Amino acid sequence: MSRLARGLRNGWTALTGTGAAASVSLGLLVLVCVFVAVAGPRDSLSVRSRAFQRSLAATTALARSVVVTIDYTTYDAVFNGPFRAYGLGGARDELAWKLARSGLPLTRGADWSGLAASYMTVAGAGPRAVHGACGPPEMEVLYRDTLASNARLASGRLPTASPPGQGATLQVAVTPATAARFGLRPGSRLGMGGVVLLVTGIIQPRDAGSAFWTLDPDAAAPTQNACKGGGTSWLGGVFVSTAEFPAVQSLLNTFRMQLTWDFPLSVSHLTANQAAALQASLTKGLTLASQLYYSTGNQPTNVYTSCGLTSTLAAFVQEDSGVQSVLGLLFVSLAVMGGVAVLLGARLVATHRNSEFTVMRARGASLRQLALLALRGDAAVSLPAAAVGAAVAVVLTPGGGERLEWWLGGAVLLVALAGLPLAVVSTHRSRARKPPPPKVTARRAAVRRLIVEATGVGLTVGALAVLHAQGLGTTSGDLLSKAAPVLIAVPAAIVVIRCYPVLVCWLLRLARARRGVTVYVGLARSAGSLTGVVLPVFALTLGLAVVSFGAMVHAAVLRGQVAASWQQTGADAVVDATPSYEPLDLATQRKIAQVPGVRRSAAVAVLVGSPANSPALSVAVVDPAQFAALVADTPAPRFPAAALTVRHTGAPVPVLANDAAAAQVGGAITGLQVGLQDQLTIRVAGRVSGVPGVPPGAVLVVPAWAFGATPPPPTLMLAVGPSLDGRALESVVSRTLPGATVVLRSHVLAGLAAQPLPHGGSVALVAGAVTAAGLAMVVLLIALVLSARTRELTLARLTAMGLSHTQARWLVVAESLPLVVAAVVGGSASAWVLARLIGPSLNLSPLTGTGTGVPVRAEPVALAVAAAGLVVLALAAMAVQTLIASRRGAARALRME
């Protein structure tokens, strides 16, 4: 065992050289970054797929199937007389082939064909179908070719063909509900015109919710039909067998018969990414299946096709595109941040192995040999780590994946594999030849840097211009929209890096005038390490932009949900006393107004009014001053109570109207009949958007004083208050108004936030922001570790000269804080530009759960909180670095040097 361990240790040392510990850290970093790159898109798809499946589950089984219908006479015209049941089977096979050809996921073996005869009066039904009805019961005759597989026999036997000599007789089967209502059992007979319906068996539906039983409303159970003169009569259905199919055509009236084919769809396994494809396939399938040809003797025969999923898919695809445009902004940004962290980790490994490669180079090793040696050790660590990270992401985010995750994960792995060889070659190429004079070197470096920066800014600005012109709704702009934070962070980081030396030099001039040496030394070290700040600044700028933009989107979603809750309720609580048998009197109103947290309340009487020569509309009777005070505590527009002031006797009563009521009543003086007794002469004096608690439609607001000393009793009680106690209000209402309903705005808001897409999108935004903050912390730590050796040596020398621990901490802060402040400025500017550039194109209506869009705007509070969080993380990282350096001791650092 010891020999095996020794062999493994020797093999590991041969692969990683002197950077074994750093290589392990790089492997962990690759594992985490690949996990983030792969898990992000997969988790987003899982959230969206759950919402998709929930929206599909909310539909009926009938809606999840394609239904094809044609009237009997049109179909029979091709055959010139009665046809066999297998003719329906041939048409079903042709339709199934066309639907499958369009790509629709049909449920294999679940399709069926059928025929429905028209309703006819039946004689011989039991008293439950006749007593109290306004007319005799009626029944329809149904044929379904898969009756045996969709029903089980409860008693009797399944129908067959009637033997010769029994006259016009049809053997039928009925469901238990039909048998109970019509008083039937095996052996019962019903007369239908000149045809006898002989009940041979009672069949029990196997799946009462399937389209087989719900397509026809009377297949599973009888229904009531309204009569013209009032009252209802009963409708039912009976089933015949395939053997009686010819008899049905010859004995019953074929003029009102209808043929039906049903094809259930298998959609329970589909993901959100397949919703658009399903919508396209459904449109294509309905078009292809709208005509029969082969099964009708090569004669084109038009049929009617429909599917209840058409509107559901259209709504979800539109909402899903909005969610993808929001969440897609996170994935590429997090993957790029992970790639930057991996590059910094590779540089850290190269720093640890620098002495080893220097010795090998001095012994004659070529740059290619060094690169291959670095690649071998890098691959030995990165490949297993990437595989583990991807596997963990797949296990923790089940439910399917998409190509984007593997592109992002592969990009991170590619960066990991190329990072160390590039760092080694870049470090040792300059030592392979005699360096040019310093001025020439500086001039060349400045020119190269200027070309690279100008190229980067030009490309990103051009891409952003294209994105701004095309928007987020186009296919070509989709990839650009996902990379928008990265595109904005590139020029922001370049500007910050250009301004960073100016800031540090200015601070150095200020520190030179001070007596202490701590801040000056820290700033001097910061000014001397400008070449290594490019990647950290870019990563920190991008991370802060992602965190800030995520906070802005989250704030916009909350604003939209709050606005929607106000639109739906109009108040923090709406008490509807209409279902209660107790009146909403003054005592009850006072009790509701005294509920803890209620700041304003108002009573409203909702009546039905009939203007002269106009349809009826809703009339809301209010106390103008009381109602205006309540509306003033809500986001609704100001209520024009002054327009409802008391007029002199005989003058028309001023009323307020919404748009629908104003269009109906007009601006002229007119009469208004309210209830059964009150007759008012009214004049529209102003407009309102609506009244809380009153159903949408035409609404007039009438002042209570118009009814004199006996205004109508209120039916609604509205209450507002930022800390309204909903449970206490419900308790008071249940005691004083039994049966009344209470609608709380807090419950409406919670319901909007709990919907699948809004909840999943919010969780994904928060997770993305937290991940971006964590990656920013990792980048900052690696940046500090890269300069740790020189910093520890500086601290050791100054400590030997009397530097205290407090002064050492301030030195580290002075060295690293300017970099963080510069990244904060760049990240805040990037987030602001991102909100202005991408915000107007984002569709946040799916995340609000209302279908109403809400704009994304720059949030100073969100930017300040994100910036403060980055500074706190930086200070924490600096404290950890200082603590580690102090525990090693100055003597050890000096001896190692």
Side-chain angles (χ1 to χ4, degrees):
M1 191 68 180
S2 60
R3 183 178 302 175
L4 177 61
R6 190 182 305 111
L8 292 176
R9 184 169 59 250
N10 293 336
W12 176 254
T13 303
L15 287 173
T16 59
T18 58
S23 297
V24 172
S25 302
L26 177 61
L28 292 176
L29 191 60
V30 171
L31 188 152
V32 172
C33 293
V34 170
F35 170 81
V36 170
V38 175
R42 290 183 63 88
D43 185 61
S44 170
L45 177 60
S46 177
V47 168
R48 292 162 37 231
S49 297
R50 286 196 296 269
F52 181 46
Q53 287 300 325
R54 189 171 296 186
S55 64
L56 292 178
T59 61
T60 62
L62 178 59
R64 297 191 297 272
S65 62
V66 176
V67 179
V68 183
T69 58
I70 186 175
D71 61 274
Y72 179 88
T73 54
T74 302
Y75 186 81
D76 185 52
V78 178
F79 297 96
N80 251 345
F83 54 89
R84 295 288 181 178
Y86 65 78
L88 293 183
R92 182 183 64 182
D93 294 340
E94 179 182 350
L95 292 171
W97 175 75
K98 290 181 177 179
L99 294 175
R101 180 185 172 190
S102 66
L104 284 176
L106 302 178
T107 303
R108 184 172 300 178
D111 50 353
W112 53 270
S113 56
L115 178 146
S118 60
Y119 288 94
M120 295 183 63
T121 302
V122 294
R128 293 189 61 193
V130 179
H131 182 69
C134 61
E138 298 179 14
M139 275 194 167
E140 63 173 343
V141 177
L142 302 173
Y143 163 73
R144 302 283 170 82
D145 60 350
T146 59
L147 177 65
S149 59
N150 284 277
R152 58 177 179 269
L153 189 64
S155 62
R157 61 175 177 82
L158 291 177
T160 58
S162 298
Q166 291 192 2
T169 302
L170 292 176
Q171 296 186 13
V172 298
V174 296
T175 62
T178 304
R181 174 58 60 183
F182 285 82
L184 304 176
R185 62 180 183 276
S188 298
R189 294 176 179 268
L190 294 173
M192 178 184 285
V195 179
V196 176
L197 302 180
L198 174 62
V199 179
T200 63
I202 309 297
I203 54 175
Q204 183 74 36
R206 292 185 183 274
D207 183 6
S210 64
F212 185 93
W213 294 102
T214 57
L215 178 62
D216 192 293
D218 301 312
T223 61
Q224 289 181 297
N225 181 44
C227 301
K228 293 183 178 180
T232 59
S233 62
W234 286 99
L235 303 177
V238 297
F239 292 89
V240 298
S241 65
T242 302
E244 294 179 300
F245 189 79
V248 171
Q249 300 176 73
S250 60
L251 296 178
L252 301 179
N253 183 12
T254 60
F255 182 72
R256 297 178 59 186
M257 284 185 182
Q258 188 178 58
L259 304 178
T260 303
W261 295 269
D262 183 81
F263 302 90
L265 300 177
S266 176
V267 295
S268 60
H269 64 286
L270 299 181
T271 64
N273 283 350
Q274 297 170 302
L278 177 62
Q279 183 186 24
S281 298
L282 185 59
T283 303
K284 180 180 178 181
L286 294 180
T287 303
L288 287 177
S290 62
Q291 190 178 78
L292 293 173
Y293 183 77
Y294 302 105
S295 58
T296 53
N298 296 336
Q299 297 186 23
T301 304
N302 294 327
V303 294
Y304 176 75
T305 58
S306 64
C307 181
L309 288 183
T310 304
S311 58
T312 302
L313 289 174
F316 179 83
V317 168
Q318 183 178 5
E319 294 178 355
D320 188 54
S321 63
V323 174
Q324 287 189 76
S325 64
V326 176
L327 298 184
L329 294 170
L330 297 174
F331 308 142
V332 176
S333 301
L334 294 178
V336 170
M337 290 187 66
V340 172
V342 169
L343 275 179
L344 291 175
R347 185 193 295 179
L348 182 61
V349 175
T351 302
H352 278 268
R353 301 186 67 180
N354 185 48
S355 300
E356 174 189 354
F357 288 126
T358 301
V359 173
M360 295 179 65
R361 184 66 170 156
R363 291 177 177 177
S366 65
L367 292 176
R368 180 181 178 183
Q369 289 175 322
L370 294 183
L372 291 177
L373 182 62
L375 178 61
R376 186 182 65 178
D378 194 7
V381 174
S382 299
L383 290 177
V388 172
V392 173
V394 171
V395 171
L396 295 182
T397 55
E402 48 186 334
R403 291 182 298 176
L404 178 62
E405 67 195 53
W406 302 116
W407 280 105
L408 295 179
V412 173
L413 177 59
L414 183 62
V415 170
L417 293 175
L420 184 56
L422 289 177
V424 171
V425 171
S426 175
T427 301
H428 292 275
R429 177 187 286 117
S430 60
R431 302 176 184 178
R433 57 184 177 223
K434 182 179 179 180
K439 290 184 179 181
V440 177
T441 303
R443 190 180 302 113
R444 291 178 180 175
V447 172
R448 284 196 300 267
R449 178 182 174 188
L450 183 60
I451 293 174
V452 171
E453 291 176 352
T455 303
V457 172
L459 291 176
T460 54
V461 171
L464 290 173
V466 172
L467 176 60
H468 183 68
Q470 293 182 343
L472 300 183
T474 60
T475 303
S476 59
D478 187 48
L479 182 59
L480 288 178
S481 67
K482 288 181 173 63
V486 179
L487 297 176
I488 294 175
V490 169
I494 291 174
V495 172
V496 166
I497 293 170
R498 279 290 181 179
C499 297
Y500 181 70
V502 179
L503 172 65
V504 174
C505 292
W506 180 73
L507 292 176
L508 268 174
R509 286 197 298 268
L510 294 180
R512 189 180 294 118
R514 295 175 57 88
R515 296 181 56 185
V517 73
T518 305
V519 176
Y520 183 81
V521 173
L523 292 175
R525 284 183 50 80
S526 179
S529 60
L530 296 179
T531 57
V533 302
V534 177
L535 289 178
V537 167
F538 171 72
L540 294 178
T541 300
L542 178 58
L544 184 60
V546 171
V547 173
S548 302
F549 187 73
M552 286 187 254
V553 171
H554 185 64
V557 170
L558 289 181
R559 286 200 314 271
Q561 292 175 347
V562 170
S565 67
W566 280 110
Q567 290 176 0
Q568 293 183 21
T569 59
D572 287 311
V574 178
V575 180
D576 185 2
T578 305
S580 178
Y581 57 85
E582 294 288 346
L584 184 57
D585 51 20
L586 291 176
T588 303
Q589 295 178 33
R590 283 194 294 269
K591 291 180 180 179
I592 293 176
Q594 293 171 359
V595 170
V598 174
R599 188 161 61 186
R600 300 282 185 182
S601 62
V604 181
V606 182
L607 308 172
V608 177
S610 300
N613 301 321
S614 296
L617 45 69
S618 299
V619 176
V621 181
V622 301
D623 182 333
Q626 185 187 46
F627 193 77
L630 179 135
V631 172
D633 271 359
T634 70
R638 184 182 63 86
F639 182 77
L644 301 181
T645 55
V646 179
R647 304 290 179 175
H648 57 80
T649 305
V653 176
V655 300
L656 303 176
N658 63 356
D659 293 339
Q664 181 175 328
V665 176
I669 297 174
T670 184
L672 177 66
Q673 179 72 36
V674 182
L676 299 177
Q677 299 178 352
D678 297 301
Q679 178 72 34
L680 303 176
T681 302
I682 63 170
R683 178 180 61 85
V684 177
R687 295 290 184 91
V688 291
S689 57
V691 179
V694 179
V699 180
L700 288 178
V701 181
V702 180
W705 55 262
F707 296 89
T710 57
T715 58
L716 290 178
M717 188 72 178
L718 310 177
V720 295
S723 57
L724 187 146
D725 191 339
R727 291 186 178 180
L729 177 62
E730 291 174 342
S731 177
V732 169
V733 171
S734 65
R735 293 196 307 268
T736 58
L737 294 171
T741 60
V742 179
V743 178
L744 297 175
R745 190 181 65 85
S746 59
H747 291 176
V748 174
L749 182 59
L752 292 174
Q755 293 181 25
L757 275 180
H759 176 71
S762 299
V763 171
L765 282 175
V766 173
V770 171
T771 305
L775 290 176
M777 181 68 172
V778 170
V779 169
L780 191 59
L781 285 173
I782 296 176
L784 290 174
V785 171
L786 284 172
S787 59
R789 289 189 177 182
T790 58
R791 185 184 305 110
E792 288 184 14
L793 182 59
T794 301
L795 291 176
R797 290 172 178 171
L798 294 177
T799 301
M801 291 186 289
L803 188 74
S804 65
H805 291 296
T806 302
Q807 290 175 319
R809 285 193 292 269
W810 278 112
L811 188 148
V812 176
V813 170
E815 176 188 352
S816 305
L817 195 58
L819 173 66
V820 177
V821 173
V824 164
V825 174
S828 301
S830 299
W832 183 82
V833 174
L834 196 60
R836 296 293 299 270
L837 181 66
I838 304 299
S841 301
L842 287 178
N843 178 20
L844 298 183
S845 58
L847 293 178
T848 61
T850 62
T852 303
V854 57
V856 178
R857 62 192 183 198
E859 301 281 350
V861 176
L863 290 174
V865 170
L870 181 58
V871 173
V872 170
L873 288 177
L875 293 176
M878 297 172 199
V880 172
Q881 173 66 22
T882 307
L883 180 62
I884 294 175
S886 63
R887 289 194 173 183
R888 289 179 178 176
R892 179 184 176 187
L894 292 173
R895 285 198 303 269
M896 291 178 63
E897 184 64 20

